[in-house]
């Protein structure tokens, strides 16, 4: 590409006001998502601290909010999608919230019914039981708080220069390793120290603005949306392997990098369309290429400070509110409908025992103790990341429990949260290819984790 066509000139002076804005906005974003803080002896990040504070302050009101917004969405989606009322169809925002496909409006209606049944503890046990509906109800409260705590601060991390600055320096590393633009590195960092659902939201916002293609968006969501350190520790404590947490987290990092290098190069991620969002075909992907005769730092700083021109408190509040409502309406009905169905299959049917048999044989060949007992835990993570740890509690071998903990944390894709959010994006991800990617990650990760376990428990 001809660098002379790049709009940034080497002799342009950076305005002091833009420079100050870039530093301030970046500091806010970094402080919210990346700087570790201590709370009650645990290490977390400020956005998670705010989320926990919201939960402490609002309590069960958050649960009731999730229940009734789910019920409202179910009724409105059913009404809008079947009868197409003019008052909604002529309003683009309302239409985007409530008009959907038959699969989704049926799922939303079912989610609304399930949510009310669980909240009022009325209905069959396989829907409202502790292992099914109450488990999903427990997920709803923190999800409301997490989304509320991050949505208005995400722009400070993504929209005002920090990604542009980092992308210039990391492009040479990220592109050949992961087939991704340099700016995607901030997604990984944000997720690693924050929350994987935040990474999905950030990535989709970047896609909608034309910075990632569909394929790149799908790769980042399925390969880079790792869980945060506090949740990792909870998993290891659950399987009674917290004394091996450091070794486990190191294994998660190594396996995660290897998986992020392999999965984008195989089907289905490799064959996803490398196209930008509609109307964003002219995205400035070339801006990560430093023009000849210009120092990388100077060029990165110029790109970053120019982004501060778009800053507007009103825009952040208005756009954030619309986005927040949209995510609530799109996410909670699916979490209740599909999450309860999946948990019911685990609790009341032997399906996962049958399906997991090949994985039991695979792990047995690799020398894993209690391999067939651990096999269901190896694949049930597709439903929710916490379920494998619950299934592994009674496995006698600590090495096997440790391996299940590590595996559940590198699989990344779980339908009760990340999977649902991923399908709400425009990256072309659906249940089928998410399941395929999940199985690929599982098959590739198991030998890596088993090898690591041999050194840890030698």
């Amino acid at each position: 590409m001809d660098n002379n066509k790049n709009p940034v000139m080497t002799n342009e002076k950076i305005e002091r006001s833009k420079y100050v804005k870039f530093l301030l906005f970046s500091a806010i974003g970094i402080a919210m998502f990346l700087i570790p803080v201590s709370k009650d002896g645990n290490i977390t990040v400020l956005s998670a601290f705010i989320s926990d504070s919201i939960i402490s302050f609002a309590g069960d009101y958050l649960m009731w909010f999730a229940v009734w917004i789910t019920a409202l969405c179910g009724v409105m989606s059913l009404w809008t999608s079947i009868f197409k009322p003019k008052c909604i169809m002529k309003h683009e925002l309302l239409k985007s919230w409530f008009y959907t496909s038959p699969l989704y409006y049926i799922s939303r209606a079912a989610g609304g019914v399930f949510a009310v049944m669980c909240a009022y503890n009325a209905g069959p046990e396989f829907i409202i039981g502790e292992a099914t509906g109450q488990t999903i109800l427990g997920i709803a409260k923190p999800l409301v708080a997490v989304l509320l705590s991050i949505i208005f601060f995400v722009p400070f991390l993504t929209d005002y220069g920090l990604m542009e600055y980092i992308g210039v320096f990391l492009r040479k590393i990220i592109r050949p390793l992961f087939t991704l633009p340099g700016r995607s590195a901030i997604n990984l960092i944000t997720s690693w120290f924050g929350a994987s659902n935040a990474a999905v939201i950030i990535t989709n916002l970047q896609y909608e603005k034309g910075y990632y293609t569909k394929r790149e968006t799908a790769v980042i969501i399925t390969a880079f949306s790792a869980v945060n350190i506090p949740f990792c520790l909870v998993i290891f404590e659950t399987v009674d392997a917290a004394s091996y947490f450091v070794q486990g987290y190191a294994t998660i990092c190594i396996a995660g990098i290897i998986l992020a290098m392999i999965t984008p190069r195989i089907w289905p991620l490799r064959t996803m369309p490398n196209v930008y969002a509609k109307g964003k075909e002219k995205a400035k992907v070339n801006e990560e290429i430093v023009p000849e005769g210009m120092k990388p730092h100077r060029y990165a700083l110029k790109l970053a400070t120019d982004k501060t021109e778009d800053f507007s408190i009103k825009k952040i509040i208005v756009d954030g509110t619309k986005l927040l409502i949209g995510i609530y309406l799109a996410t909670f009905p699916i979490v209740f409908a599909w999450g309860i169905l999946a948990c019911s299959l685990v609790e009341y049917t032997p399906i996962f025992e049958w399906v997991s048999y090949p994985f039991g044989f695979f792990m047995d060949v690799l020398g894993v103790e209690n391999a067939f007992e651990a096999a269901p835990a190896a694949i049930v993570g597709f439903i929710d990341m916490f379920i494998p740890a619950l299934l592994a509690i009674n496995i006698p071998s600590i090495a096997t429990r440790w391996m299940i903990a590590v595996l559940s944390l590198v699989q990344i894709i779980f339908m009760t949260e990340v999977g649902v959010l991923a399908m709400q994006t425009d990256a072309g991800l659906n249940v089928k290819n998410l399941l395929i990617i999940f199985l690929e990650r599982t098959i590739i990760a198991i030998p890596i984790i088993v090898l690591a376990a041999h050194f840890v428990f030698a």
Side-chain angles (χ1 to χ4, degrees), residues 322-385:
K322 291 178 182 177
L323 180 64
L324 182 64
I325 295 172
I327 292 175
Y328 282 153
L329 292 171
T331 303
F332 285 113
I334 306 303
V335 167
F336 277 103
W338 296 2
I340 289 175
L341 174 61
C343 289
S344 297
L345 290 175
V346 172
E347 185 69 13
Y348 296 104
T349 75
I351 290 176
F352 280 95
E353 291 183 17
W354 299 340
V355 173
S356 68
Y357 187 85
F359 287 90
F361 180 78
F362 182 35
M363 290 190 290
D364 189 54
V365 169
L366 293 174
V368 177
E369 294 183 71
N370 311 114
F372 289 96
E373 188 177 348
I379 65 166
V380 77
F382 185 66
I383 297 171
D384 183 79
M385 192 173 286

Side-chain angles (χ1 to χ4, degrees), residues 182-379:
R183 64 186 286 114
S184 64
I186 198 72
N187 290 61
L188 177 60
I189 297 170
T190 301
S191 179
W192 216 255
F193 292 97
S196 54
N197 47 22
V200 176
I201 295 167
I202 290 170
T203 304
N204 190 50
L205 289 174
Q206 294 296 288
Y207 166 73
E208 291 175 351
K209 293 175 182 177
Y211 289 105
Y212 298 144
T213 65
K214 275 195 172 186
R215 187 195 65 81
E216 290 168 348
T217 303
V219 168
I220 295 169
I221 289 173
T222 59
F224 279 56
S225 298
V227 296
N228 55 54
I229 294 175
F231 186 81
C232 292
L233 185 54
V234 168
I235 293 295
F236 279 88
E237 288 177 342
T238 300
V239 300
D240 196 21
S243 57
Y244 295 94
F245 173 71
V246 173
Q247 300 93 320
Y249 192 71
T251 304
I252 291 168
C253 293
I254 294 169
I257 291 171
I258 294 172
L259 288 166
M261 293 171 62
I262 295 174
T263 54
R265 292 176 166 88
I266 59 178
W267 181 80
L269 289 176
R270 182 175 60 85
T271 58
M272 287 190 167
N274 216 27
V275 296
Y276 292 93
K278 187 176 180 181
K280 300 292 182 180
E281 288 80 3
K282 295 183 180 180
K284 299 176 182 178
V285 291
N286 64 307
E287 287 187 347
E288 289 174 4
I289 303 174
V290 181
E292 187 176 351
M294 196 171 191
K295 293 182 179 180
H297 169 70
R298 176 76 180 179
Y299 180 66
L301 200 57
K302 177 60 181 171
L303 288 178
T305 53
D306 282 349
K307 291 291 291 183
T308 63
E309 293 179 347
D310 301 329
F311 176 74
S312 166
I313 288 290
K314 180 181 178 181
K315 185 175 187 297
I316 289 176
I317 294 174
V318 172
D319 290 352
T321 302
K322 291 178 182 177
L323 180 64
L324 182 64
I325 295 172
I327 292 175
Y328 282 153
L329 292 171
T331 303
F332 285 113
I334 306 303
V335 167
F336 277 103
W338 296 2
I340 289 175
L341 174 61
C343 289
S344 297
L345 290 175
V346 172
E347 185 69 13
Y348 296 104
T349 75
I351 290 176
F352 280 95
E353 291 183 17
W354 299 340
V355 173
S356 68
Y357 187 85
F359 287 90
F361 180 78
F362 182 35
M363 290 190 290
D364 189 54
V365 169
L366 293 174
V368 177
E369 294 183 71
N370 311 114
F372 289 96
E373 188 177 348
I379 65 166

Side-chain angles (χ1 to χ4, degrees), residues 251-252 254-256 258-259 262 355-369 371-372 374-380 399-400 402-411 437-454:
T251 304
I252 291 168
I254 294 169
I258 294 172
L259 288 166
I262 295 174
V355 173
S356 68
Y357 187 85
F359 287 90
F361 180 78
F362 182 35
M363 290 190 290
D364 189 54
V365 169
L366 293 174
V368 177
E369 294 183 71
F372 289 96
I379 65 166
V380 77
T400 302
W402 180 88
M403 284 186 275
I404 291 298
V406 174
L407 180 62
S408 69
L409 294 167
V410 299
Q411 289 170 326
I437 296 167
F438 172 86
L439 293 174
E440 289 174 346
R441 294 182 67 84
T442 303
I443 292 168
I444 296 169
I446 286 175
I448 299 171
I449 296 169
V450 171
L451 179 63
H454 282 308

